[in-house]
Amino acid sequence: MKKPRLPALLLALALLFTLSACRPSAAGPSAAPSEEAAQTPGPEPSAGPTESPSLADDEEPGIRLAVLSGPTGVGAAKLLDGVDNDPASLHAGYAYTIAADNSELVAGLTGPDPEFDIATVASNVAVNLYNKTEGGVKIIAVGTLGVLHILESGGNASINSMADLAGKTIYAAGQGANPEYVLRYLLKENGLEDVEIVFADASEISAKLLSGEAECAMLPVPAATAAIAKSEGKVRQAIDLTEAWDSLRNGSQLIMTAVVARTGFVEDHPDRVEAFLTDYEASIKYVNDNVDAASELVAGYGLTPSAGIAKLAIPQCHLAFISGADMVASISDYYSVLYSIDPASVGGTLPDAGIYWMG
């Protein structure tokens, strides 16, 4: 693992939001700050990846954790704060890295000398990595459900359901990843064959929404949240795609984030995996239940551009902790849906039961 050279409180870096393979998007300028946090906030963001304080040369962390910036990492904010400010509150020792891109996590989980033991990744990345490494990782939990939203510009309110998208052009981020597959599936299931999808990066889409060039678009939070905040009422949230997915009643859940662990780590240290799950579940609960305080932490670790945006985005992230049999049921059905859209979305084949760690 890379040894950080300065304490995390001096080195934390602000991460730009560009969505690709369901990674965070460019999210626009800061909104007004949220209410004052109830505890010491995390490190102030600067620029680049973030790592936890360095350990003594003879000290090994219990868990080398990697968190993806953006909605995938939001639920871990309180855990990161515990590492920096209250390690006694945690059930394991941690060294952490905040990554800007799924590719960084894939590289850190694989190879002869992996840098990470556990990581939060996009759910489609998890299954592709499992197939690519022939079982080199296991899914140990689900952390985020859907974070995708259809936005409408122009101050209108003509789009309120999937049916209202008929004949529209939708600007969308996330080509070749979860967002594209989710959008195509929802359009298909709602019988919408006359919708044109134009893929672009999140910053370009936000600009088109604000200028009125794009009537509607699909963005994840916090990019969607930032676009709405910046528009001064000209852009609105029209459809929560998690709700649209649930309305199909197909038995699956929209799962955007999976937590994976290296198979070797799971086999050698099952007690540490259990300890992480306890800490991660508590972190998600804290973020959901303490939005004002959590928004300061989320912004402080560079997971969103500002506390104001974090405060608006957290309720829309659908943060959830799911493990064990419930995890298997929810995400396996989701993978079946992805496979039906495009087998390449899950690495060409549905995973076997070995992908799941049941404890």
Side-chain angles (χ1 to χ4, degrees), residues 47-271:
T50 301
E51 292 186 336
S52 57
S54 58
L55 302 165
D57 290 341
D58 59 350
E59 184 181 358
E60 289 295 330
I63 298 169
R64 299 173 300 174
L65 174 65
V67 173
L68 184 64
S69 179
T72 300
V74 165
K78 183 59 175 175
L79 192 161
L80 302 183
D81 177 60
V83 176
D84 289 332
N85 298 309
D86 189 13
S89 68
L90 302 173
H91 293 77
Y94 296 87
Y96 69 79
T97 297
I98 299 174
D101 191 285
N102 276 297
S103 62
E104 296 177 45
L105 303 182
V106 170
L109 287 165
T110 57
D113 187 22
E115 297 181 52
F116 310 136
D117 303 314
I118 296 175
T120 64
V121 299
S123 55
N124 67 303
V125 171
V127 65
N128 275 276
L129 185 57
Y130 176 79
N131 284 330
K132 180 180 179 180
T133 61
E134 298 181 346
V137 298
K138 290 184 180 294
I139 297 175
I140 62 173
V142 165
T144 311
L145 304 182
V147 298
L148 298 171
H149 298 263
I150 298 292
L151 306 184
E152 182 180 20
S153 69
N156 301 317
S158 61
I159 301 174
N160 297 289
S161 68
M162 292 298 297
D164 296 331
L165 295 174
K168 303 287 187 184
T169 296
I170 302 175
Y171 286 82
Q175 186 174 20
N178 271 329
E180 177 182 358
Y181 305 133
V182 169
L183 180 57
R184 291 195 184 282
Y185 177 72
L186 288 172
L187 293 174
K188 177 183 176 182
E189 292 300 301
N190 284 276
L192 300 173
E193 299 180 355
D194 58 347
V195 174
E196 180 183 2
I197 304 174
V198 178
F199 289 100
D201 65 47
S203 59
E204 179 182 353
I205 292 171
S206 295
K208 289 182 180 295
L209 281 169
L210 294 172
S211 70
E213 182 179 347
E215 177 186 3
C216 64
M218 180 187 72
L219 287 173
V221 293
T225 313
I228 293 170
K230 185 178 180 181
S231 74
E232 299 180 345
K234 296 178 182 178
V235 176
R236 60 180 283 268
Q237 177 184 302
I239 306 171
D240 182 332
L241 292 188
T242 302
E243 295 177 1
W245 187 285
D246 291 343
S247 70
L248 296 176
R249 302 184 185 280
N250 61 7
S252 70
Q253 287 183 277
L254 180 51
I255 307 291
M256 302 297 285
T257 298
V259 184
V260 299
R262 291 186 300 103
T263 298
F265 182 77
V266 167
E267 292 173 346
D268 293 341
H269 304 289
D271 56 330

Side-chain angles (χ1 to χ4, degrees), residues 338-358:
L338 291 186
Y339 183 83
S340 72
I341 303 167
D342 183 355
S345 66
V346 294
T349 183
L350 287 172
D352 56 37
I355 193 175
Y356 306 110
W357 186 72
M358 303 295 289

Side-chain angles (χ1 to χ4, degrees), residues 67-79 120 141-149 221-222 240 242 253-259 280-292 294-295 297-298 303-304 310-323:
V67 173
L68 184 64
S69 179
T72 300
V74 165
K78 183 59 175 175
L79 192 161
T120 64
V142 165
T144 311
L145 304 182
V147 298
L148 298 171
H149 298 263
V221 293
D240 182 332
T242 302
Q253 287 183 277
L254 180 51
I255 307 291
M256 302 297 285
T257 298
V259 184
Y280 186 56
E281 181 177 18
S283 183
I284 288 177
K285 185 177 189 306
Y286 179 89
V287 174
N288 278 331
D289 294 347
N290 301 274
V291 173
D292 289 337
S295 65
L297 295 177
V298 168
L303 302 171
T304 66
K311 183 176 178 179
L312 297 172
I314 287 171
Q316 298 178 319
C317 283
H318 298 291
L319 299 177
F321 176 84
I322 308 174
S323 62

